[in-house]
């Protein structure tokens, strides 16, 4: 079953994702891209954002299990909803999940993530985009937006 393969991949690589006692979200995203491409590269545009989130959470769960936690769509005090917040040893990591719908949509996602980082006084955030464009370039890139660093992963 593919979902258990995703969980098993996270569990098998668990120790790789910690650096100096901190959770390395960038490494998690890099390995998730690799695993996702292996297991689900044949999916098409009918693939929904919440299914991608499910696979990411299956991958993440064994990595943070017992020490960390996550919240799906937690709400800020000003009623905005973030996609995912990962908590690990007192640290918060905000992750936006998107379906690729072009550069303008992606830039709005970056601005949205930057706003969440401002709200929580954080300097680094993460975005995971599911792109079904045949010309996509899967991987990680760093985007600097003002004083913020956004780590963007494309699957």
């Amino acid at each position: 079953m593919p979902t258990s393969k995703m969980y098993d991949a996270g569990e098998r690589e668990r120790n790789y994702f910690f650096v100096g006692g901190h959770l390395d979200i960038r490494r998690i995203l890099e390995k998730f891209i690799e695993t996702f491409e292996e297991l689900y590269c044949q999916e098409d545009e009918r693939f929904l954002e919440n299914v991608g989130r499910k696979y990411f959470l299956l991958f993440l769960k064994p990595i943070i299990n017992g020490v960390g936690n996550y919240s799906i769509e937690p709400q800020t005090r000003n009623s905005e909803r973030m996609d995912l917040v990962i908590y690990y040893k007192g640290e918060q990591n905000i992750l936006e999940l998107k379906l690729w719908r072009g550069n303008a949509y992606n830039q709005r996602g970056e601005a949205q993530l930057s706003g969440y980082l401002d709200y929580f006084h954080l300097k680094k955030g993460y975005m995971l985009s599911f792109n079904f464009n045949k010309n996509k370039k899967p991987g990680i890139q760093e985007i600097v937006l003002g004083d913020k660093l956004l780590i963007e992963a494309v699957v």
Side-chain angles (χ1 to χ4, degrees):
M1 175 178 271
T3 56
S4 65
K5 287 181 182 178
M6 187 59 78
Y7 182 92
D8 292 345
E11 188 171 47
R12 189 173 43 255
E13 302 286 336
R14 184 169 193 256
N15 293 330
Y16 173 73
F17 304 115
F18 301 95
V19 177
H22 299 277
L23 188 61
D24 190 331
I25 304 295
R26 182 188 177 112
R27 283 185 176 192
I28 291 171
L29 290 170
E30 288 169 347
K31 194 63 176 176
F32 176 75
I33 290 169
E34 181 183 311
T35 304
F36 190 89
E37 289 289 319
E38 284 176 20
L39 296 175
Y40 306 106
C41 66
Q42 301 304 316
E43 293 291 338
D44 61 20
E45 290 182 43
R46 293 185 307 247
F47 184 84
L48 301 173
E49 186 174 0
N50 64 345
V51 175
R53 176 173 39 197
K54 174 185 169 186
Y55 288 137
F56 181 74
L57 293 175
L58 277 167
F59 186 77
L60 178 66
K61 189 171 178 78
I63 297 167
I64 63 172
N65 192 23
V67 179
N69 203 353
Y70 59 82
S71 294
I72 300 169
E73 294 189 3
Q75 191 169 349
T76 64
R77 288 185 186 155
N78 58 357
S79 298
E80 293 180 294
R81 290 197 175 273
M82 299 171 288
D83 285 342
L84 182 65
V85 179
I86 302 167
Y87 305 96
Y88 188 82
K89 291 188 175 181
E91 295 178 347
Q92 268 182 314
N93 297 282
I94 298 173
L95 188 109
E96 267 305 294
L97 293 109
K98 298 287 182 197
L99 290 176
W100 178 261
R101 292 193 173 112
N103 286 328
Y105 183 77
N106 193 63
Q107 289 172 347
R108 285 193 303 271
E110 292 170 351
Q112 183 181 14
L113 177 56
S114 181
Y116 297 146
L117 296 175
D118 282 340
Y119 184 85
F120 287 103
H121 309 290
L122 299 171
K123 298 292 183 193
K124 187 190 300 183
Y126 305 89
M127 194 156 84
L128 175 58
S129 297
F130 294 91
N131 184 342
F132 298 100
N133 184 330
K134 291 182 182 184
N135 298 321
K136 75 176 178 181
K137 290 186 178 180
I140 303 267
Q141 66 175 340
E142 294 185 357
I143 305 293
V144 176
L145 231 99
D147 64 343
K148 309 288 183 296
L149 176 62
L150 309 182
I151 308 295
E152 293 189 15
V154 176
V155 175

